[in-house]
Amino acid sequence: QVTLVESGGGLVQAGGSLRLSCAASGNIWGIDAMGWYRQAPGKRRELVAACTSGGNTNYADSVKGRFTIFRENDEKRVYLQMNALKPEDTGVYYCAADYAASPLITTWYYWGQGTQVTVSS
C-alpha cells in the first residue's frame, strides 16, 4: 500500500505562484509515474501534469509554460511549481501514483486526499 500526502495549497492572487508537494510513503517500490490532477467545482477531475522516474513529462495544454512538475532524486516526492496563476486554476489538486512507466496513463492506482488551491482575481 502507498500513501500520498499533498501540501502547499492555499489562497493566492492572480499572477502569483504556489508550489505543491506530494510525499509518498509505504511500499513505494515499483512506483514510476506520478502526477497531479485537479477538480474545479462542478467539473470533472482533469490531468494537470505527470512525470515518470525516467524524466518523461506530460502537461495539460492549459498549464504549459506556467506549471512545472519535478521530482526529488530519491523520487519519494513530486512537486508542482505553479506560476502565473489564473482564477481558472482554482480547484482541489490531487496527487496520483502508478506503477506504469508512462506519463500518458489515464487510470492511476493511488490517489492522495487533495489540497485546495484558490486563485483570486
Side-chain angles (χ1 to χ4, degrees), residues 17-18 32 36 44 47 72-74 95:
S17 298
L18 279 176
D32 197 309
W36 291 94
R44 297 179 64 180
L47 171 74
E72 283 189 339
N73 288 338
D74 65 5
C95 179

Side-chain angles (χ1 to χ4, degrees), residues 38-41 86-93 116-120:
R38 67 186 178 193
Q39 187 167 19
K86 305 175 181 180
E88 51 263 44
D89 294 318
T90 293
V92 178
Y93 282 68
Q116 177 71 43
V117 172
T118 303
V119 184
S120 63

Side-chain angles (χ1 to χ4, degrees), residues 1-4 22 24-25 27-37 47 49-54 69 71 75 78 94-112:
Q1 184 69 19
V2 173
T3 301
L4 304 175
C22 172
S25 61
N27 187 16
I28 65 169
W29 185 87
I31 291 293
D32 197 309
M34 297 188 76
W36 291 94
Y37 278 69
L47 171 74
C51 66
T52 65
S53 61
I69 187 170
R71 294 162 76 149
E75 301 181 353
V78 64
Y94 297 90
C95 179
D98 197 271
Y99 300 100
S102 169
L104 304 177
I105 58 174
T106 56
T107 59
W108 295 75
Y109 207 89
Y110 298 106
W111 290 91

Side-chain angles (χ1 to χ4, degrees), residues 2 6 9-10 13-14 17 19-20 22 40 48 57 59 62 68 74 78-79 83 85 89 96 98 103 112 117:
V2 173
E6 304 98 334
Q13 288 188 331
S17 298
R19 178 178 291 185
L20 304 183
C22 172
V48 176
T57 59
Y59 290 93
S62 60
T68 303
D74 65 5
V78 64
Y79 300 91
N83 298 328
L85 283 160
D89 294 318
D98 197 271
V117 172

